[in-house]
Amino acid sequence: MPRSLTIQRTLVTPPDRGKFAERLLRKRDYYAQAGCRYWVFEETGLPGAFLEFCEAPDAATLARAHASAPERVLDPARIYHEVELP
């Protein structure tokens, strides 16, 4: 099953972690309703450095979700597709 995803890197200062966590929950809920999966990872050696992944079954679904997202996506046109390995 082919999949498409986007990646966004975000740096968060310690005083902003609480607000950022709230934003992540809203994003997770929005993307779930848009038919996408959403993950967030924090760099172990650099607290406050986050990677956000948004995945959909195809590029069109992902593009629609980003176009209607309540928060701006930095580079919504940079979509990666899964490579099938033999």
Side-chain angles (χ1 to χ4, degrees):
M1 170 174 143
R3 296 182 288 184
S4 296
L5 66 84
T6 55
I7 304 166
Q8 180 167 300
R9 183 172 182 174
T10 306
L11 296 174
V12 179
T13 61
D16 294 326
R17 282 184 80 91
K19 288 180 185 177
F20 183 68
E22 292 171 11
R23 287 177 42 213
L24 295 177
L25 293 175
R26 286 193 302 269
K27 286 181 179 184
R28 181 195 63 193
D29 294 344
Y30 166 77
Y31 283 113
Q33 289 183 353
C36 301
R37 296 185 67 194
Y38 180 75
W39 299 278
V40 179
F41 292 81
E42 184 173 17
E43 187 172 336
T44 303
L46 184 59
F50 293 91
L51 285 176
E52 300 173 58
F53 296 88
C54 186
E55 177 195 36
D58 54 71
T61 300
L62 191 54
R64 277 193 307 274
H66 285 327
S68 299
E71 293 191 29
R72 184 172 88 82
V73 178
L74 294 179
D75 195 356
R78 186 172 288 196
I79 295 177
Y80 297 84
H81 67 274
E82 184 176 17
V83 175
E84 295 292 328
L85 301 176

